[in-house]
């Protein structure tokens, strides 16, 4: 039933409209990220037509921290890491064999804090131009080096960052992942 309803809805919208929307969103996403100083768009150049997915890094900011800040401060969900494409991402990041072996050794010893990776933003049928603008503004703020409203703590076992406490102005309720930062 659900599959039939989805097919009917997509057919009613029309494939040309769906394709046009995805192309417009993809172009806006990729060109917008590429235009932010300090942001490096990975993969094909902006002149290449792609799906509305963009993989990027922010100079001097760990990918896990970019993802954590987007989630905690802006309620924007992205993926980060190597996306089950480790060899391809290592090549895109320009890492040599010795660097890759060093990172693998650190991971084998339970430390993912320096694990290389990138951030991936995906869009789709329900993504509006204003959603892309919001993401681009948030990434630009991070790339400019604007300080976060709270400190973030990194878990070396996972490499993930978590806010220390609540983000001011967003909620008065404790978050399962937020915790006070203790020294050390």
């Amino acid at each position: 039933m659900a599959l039939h309803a989805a097919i009917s809805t997509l057919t009613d919208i029309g494939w040309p409209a769906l394709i046009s929307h995805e192309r417009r969103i993809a172009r806006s996403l990729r060109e917008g990220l590429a235009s932010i100083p300090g942001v490096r768009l990975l993969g094909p150049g902006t002149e290449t037509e792609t799906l509305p997915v963009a993989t990027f890094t922010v100079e001097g900011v760990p990918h896990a921290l970019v993802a954590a800040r987007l989630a905690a401060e802006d309620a924007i969900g992205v993926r980060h890491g190597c996306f089950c494409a480790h060899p391809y991402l290592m090549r895109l990041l320009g890492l040599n064999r010795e660097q890759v072996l060093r990172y693998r050794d650190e991971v084998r010893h339970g430390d993912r804090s320096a694990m290389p990776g990138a951030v991936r933003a995906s869009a789709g049928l329900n993504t509006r131009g204003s959603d892309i603008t919001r993401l681009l503004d948030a990434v630009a703020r991070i790339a400019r080096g604007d300080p976060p409203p709270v400190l973030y703590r990194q878990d070396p076992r996972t490499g993930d960052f978590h806010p220390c406490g609540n983000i001011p102005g967003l909620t008065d309720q404790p978050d399962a992942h937020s915790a006070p930062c203790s020294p050390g």
Side-chain angles (χ1 to χ4, degrees), residues 86-87 89-91 93-108 115-116:
H86 290 74
L89 198 59
M90 296 304 112
R91 185 168 53 101
L93 293 171
L95 300 177
N96 63 41
R97 179 171 166 68
E98 290 76 30
Q99 290 170 306
V100 171
L101 291 175
R102 186 178 73 239
Y103 291 127
R104 285 184 182 162
D105 189 53
E106 290 171 0
V107 168
R108 285 187 186 116
M115 180 83 170

Side-chain angles (χ1 to χ4, degrees), residues 40-167:
R40 179 176 164 218
L41 184 66
L42 300 176
T46 56
E47 71 285 346
T48 302
E49 190 175 293
T50 67
L51 294 171
V53 176
T55 302
F56 64 97
T57 59
V58 177
E59 185 179 329
V61 185
H63 58 91
L65 182 55
V66 173
R69 288 194 63 185
L70 290 172
E73 298 170 29
D74 298 286
I76 297 172
V78 294
R79 296 279 317 266
H80 74 91
C82 293
F83 322 117
C84 298
H86 290 74
Y88 179 56
L89 198 59
M90 296 304 112
R91 185 168 53 101
L92 289 176
L93 293 171
L95 300 177
N96 63 41
R97 179 171 166 68
E98 290 76 30
Q99 290 170 306
V100 171
L101 291 175
R102 186 178 73 239
Y103 291 127
R104 285 184 182 162
D105 189 53
E106 290 171 0
V107 168
R108 285 187 186 116
H109 288 93
D111 184 0
R112 288 183 168 81
S113 59
M115 180 83 170
V119 179
R120 183 177 67 205
S122 304
L125 176 61
N126 62 337
T127 305
R128 300 171 306 211
S130 61
D131 298 324
I132 299 300
T133 300
R134 202 165 128 251
L135 169 71
L136 296 175
D137 289 346
V139 171
R141 185 183 73 242
I142 295 168
R144 273 194 313 268
D146 292 5
V150 296
L151 295 175
Y152 285 80
R153 168 182 44 83
Q154 187 179 33
D155 179 346
R157 290 175 297 112
T158 65
D160 290 328
F161 285 82
H162 303 284
C164 299
N166 293 318
I167 306 292

